[in-house]
Amino acid sequence: MGISDDIILTGDLNFHLDDKFDCDARKFTETLSDRGLVQHVVGATHVRGHTLDVIITREDSSIVIGIPSIEELHLCNDKGVPSLDHFAVHCSLNVNKPPKKRESMKFRKLEEIVIDDFNTDINCSNFMPNQTATLDELVSTYDSVLSSIIEKHAPMQSKTITLRPNTEWHSSELRTAKTERRKAERKMRKTKLEVHKQLYKEQCIKTHKLLLKCKTDYYSDKILEIGCDQKKLFNLTNKLMGNTKTVVLPSRECDKDISNRFGDFFLNKIETIMRCLSSEDDSSLNRNDAFCADVRWLHTIKLAIEKITIKQLREKKTIRYDITE
């Protein structure tokens, strides 16, 4: 059986698997056996001494290595009161660790450009090779000359980075607290003394309270910075909830192509509305000055949209139109 055929079921049940006289637990165990499944957790996983948490696999599966271990986490709320009544269940799996997500990016070191040399190259360049050149030729020359100059002073570079979760709220104080907690944990595991266990528990409480404080302070400051901007507040809320959406644009050969397609769509829509309004019978519509003003207004909007540049469409900037007559 390959790993792809393996399954792992984990969860928290509402009956005691360690109690042989529990009818529900006995039926559950028999159901697992009838379907070729096995439950690996042995020992109390609850503060009251019962087995409630499970790790289930196929009987002939080797994905779980050894017997799962059970450990008390000592997690507490902001007041230092234990917030969990279940223990942590650890197990080793016979699977490869998924690789970290990596992404290639391109960049220019614009801050390293020597401004004097850059200005000299621009002044010495030839932007007007031919006085009779067309507008398209002039734009193409302008673009190619400036591109070559910027490539000379700040060549395009590429590198691959590892994408990591955003932890801007993480502070040096929290990093130190986590280090101390890890030291206390190693000491407790080495000596197995009750005093070291108590010290580890106290350090866990301290670190957890500091973690909550760092996150609370960070996001409170973010909300204060946003102020009354509902859009930014909505985006921050979505980010906290993990509701991140990627904008998916239609298939295209280049950005210019999709910009023109968007522009043509809205121009055609306005032209269609204008044709429909103009083709209506005067008597049926009871044409008046207000109606004529609406038609002129639509025509003005169309002219304003035609002046939008491709760059503005690509950058998705908010565009203000001057439609005053």
Side-chain angles (χ1 to χ4, degrees), residues 114-122 153:
V114 180
I115 301 300
D116 293 338
D117 296 343
F118 187 74
N119 291 336
T120 301
D121 286 345
I122 291 179
H153 292 272

Side-chain angles (χ1 to χ4, degrees), residues 100-102 161-167:
K100 294 181 179 179
K101 190 174 181 181
R102 301 174 68 84
I161 61 173
T162 301
L163 300 181
R164 305 182 187 278
N166 183 10
T167 54

Side-chain angles (χ1 to χ4, degrees), residues 30-181:
E30 292 173 355
T31 301
L32 292 180
S33 179
D34 292 341
R35 286 159 176 76
L37 302 174
V38 61
Q39 201 283 115
H40 294 271
V41 179
V42 178
T45 63
H46 192 265
V47 292
R48 295 187 178 181
H50 294 289
T51 304
L52 277 70
D53 301 272
V54 297
I55 297 177
I56 301 171
T57 65
R58 301 185 191 275
E59 288 181 344
D60 55 352
S61 173
S62 59
I63 191 171
V64 174
I65 303 174
I67 299 176
S69 61
I70 302 171
E71 179 185 0
E72 186 178 356
L73 290 180
H74 307 293
L75 293 180
C76 304
N77 58 20
D78 56 349
K79 297 181 180 179
V81 179
S83 58
L84 292 178
D85 54 358
H86 287 255
F87 302 148
V89 180
H90 302 274
C91 69
S92 299
L93 301 180
N94 184 25
V95 293
N96 295 325
K97 183 179 180 180
K100 294 181 179 179
K101 190 174 181 181
R102 301 174 68 84
E103 185 179 83
S104 297
M105 60 176 296
K106 295 182 178 181
F107 63 96
R108 298 180 187 272
K109 294 184 178 180
L110 299 177
E111 68 279 359
E112 296 183 2
I113 294 179
V114 180
I115 301 300
D116 293 338
D117 296 343
F118 187 74
N119 291 336
T120 301
D121 286 345
I122 291 179
N123 293 330
C124 295
S125 60
N126 185 11
F127 285 104
M128 299 289 290
N130 188 356
Q131 296 293 336
T132 61
T134 63
L135 178 61
D136 289 340
E137 292 174 344
L138 292 175
V139 171
S140 178
T141 302
Y142 181 84
D143 180 68
S144 61
V145 171
L146 285 185
S147 296
S148 61
I149 294 176
I150 197 70
E151 185 67 24
K152 173 184 176 182
H153 292 272
M156 182 70 72
Q157 301 182 38
S158 62
K159 68 177 181 179
T160 303
I161 61 173
T162 301
L163 300 181
R164 305 182 187 278
N166 183 10
T167 54
E168 296 179 359
W169 46 264
H170 204 281
S171 64
S172 58
E173 184 182 4
L174 179 60
R175 187 180 298 106
T176 302
K178 287 186 174 182
T179 302
E180 294 299 324
R181 182 185 62 181

Side-chain angles (χ1 to χ4, degrees), residues 269-299:
K269 198 172 186 67
I270 292 177
E271 289 176 350
T272 301
I273 295 174
M274 292 178 61
R275 283 197 302 269
C276 292
L277 292 175
S278 300
S279 62
E280 294 290 344
D281 184 69
D282 293 350
S283 59
S284 62
L285 287 176
N286 190 20
R287 183 183 296 266
N288 51 32
D289 293 340
F291 175 77
C292 295
D294 288 341
V295 174
R296 290 196 302 272
W297 183 80
L298 281 172
H299 181 68

